C-alpha cells in the first residue's frame, strides 16, 4: 500500500471548501483552482462555479476511480429525499429515491453476533 493524493483532488477539495464558505459559489481562489484543471483538460473555463458544478467536476476528474458514492453522500445527493437520480438508483429502471439510512453500510451479521455491544445501523434488519 502507498499513499496517493492527486493534485486534482487537492484543487477540487479546496474549491469545494471555498464554495461552501461563500454561500455555494466559488470566490476567485476556488474558481482559479477549477479553471487550472479544466485548462489542463482543454475544457472551457468559467467565471465561477456552484456546488452543482463542483460535484460534476468531481465526477469527470475521478471517473471510474471508486469514489462517486462518498462524493454523492457528502453533497446530499445519494440516499434521502432528493431529486438527483440515475438509472437503476434504488432498484428502479428510471431511478427512485431511497432512505438516507442506506448512506451508511450495514454492520456484517458475524460482527454483531461476536460483539453484543453492537447494534445494526438503522434501515437494516
Amino acid at each position: 500500500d502507498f499513499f496517493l493524493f492527486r493534485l486534482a483532488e487537492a484543487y477540487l477539495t479546496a474549491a469545494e471548501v471555498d464554495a461552501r464558505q461563500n454561500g455555494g459559489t466559488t470566490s476567485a481562489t476556488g474558481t482559479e483552482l477549477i479553471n487550472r484543471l479544466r485548462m489542463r483538460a482543454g475544457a472551457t473555463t468559467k467565471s465561477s462555479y456552484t456546488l452543482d458544478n463542483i460535484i460534476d467536476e468531481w465526477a469527470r476528474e475521478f471517473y471510474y476511480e471508486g469514489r462517486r458514492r462518498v462524493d454523492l453522500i457528502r453533497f446530499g445527493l445519494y440516499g434521502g429525499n432528493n431529486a438527483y437520480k440515475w438509472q437503476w438508483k434504488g432498484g428502479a429502471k428510471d431511478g427512485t429515491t431511497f432512505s438516507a439510512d442506506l448512506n451508511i453500510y450495514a454492520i456484517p451479521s458475524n460482527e454483531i453476533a461476536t460483539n453484543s455491544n453492537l447494534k445494526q445501523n438503522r434501515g437494516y434488519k
Side-chain angles (χ1 to χ4, degrees):
D1 292 344
F2 61 93
F3 181 76
L4 177 67
F5 193 85
R6 289 178 37 198
L7 183 59
E9 187 171 2
Y11 283 3
L12 286 171
T13 299
E16 181 182 333
V17 169
D18 179 65
R20 289 183 188 278
Q21 290 178 336
N22 290 292
T25 304
T26 56
S27 69
T29 303
T31 300
E32 173 62 23
L33 292 170
I34 294 177
N35 281 340
R36 286 181 190 175
L37 294 175
R38 294 182 63 78
M39 285 187 287
R40 178 210 64 202
T44 59
T45 59
K46 297 182 180 185
S47 58
S48 67
Y49 295 89
T50 65
L51 288 171
D52 286 341
N53 300 139
I54 294 170
I55 188 68
D56 291 344
E57 289 297 324
W58 277 108
R60 283 187 285 272
E61 188 67 38
F62 291 92
Y63 188 73
Y64 270 109
E65 292 192 27
R67 60 169 295 136
R68 184 67 173 160
R69 182 180 188 274
V70 294
D71 291 338
L72 290 173
I73 290 170
R74 189 174 69 254
F75 278 79
L77 300 174
Y78 194 68
N81 188 17
N82 63 66
Y84 190 78
K85 293 183 182 69
W86 57 88
Q87 193 174 40
W88 297 110
K89 177 183 180 181
K93 184 175 188 287
D94 294 326
T96 188
T97 59
F98 53 84
S99 172
D101 293 342
L102 301 181
N103 286 346
I104 299 173
Y105 288 119
I107 299 172
S109 58
N110 64 322
E111 297 293 331
I112 293 174
T114 340
N115 184 344
S116 61
N117 294 319
L118 292 177
K119 293 186 178 162
Q120 187 55 268
N121 291 323
R122 278 191 319 236
Y124 298 97
K125 295 180 182 182

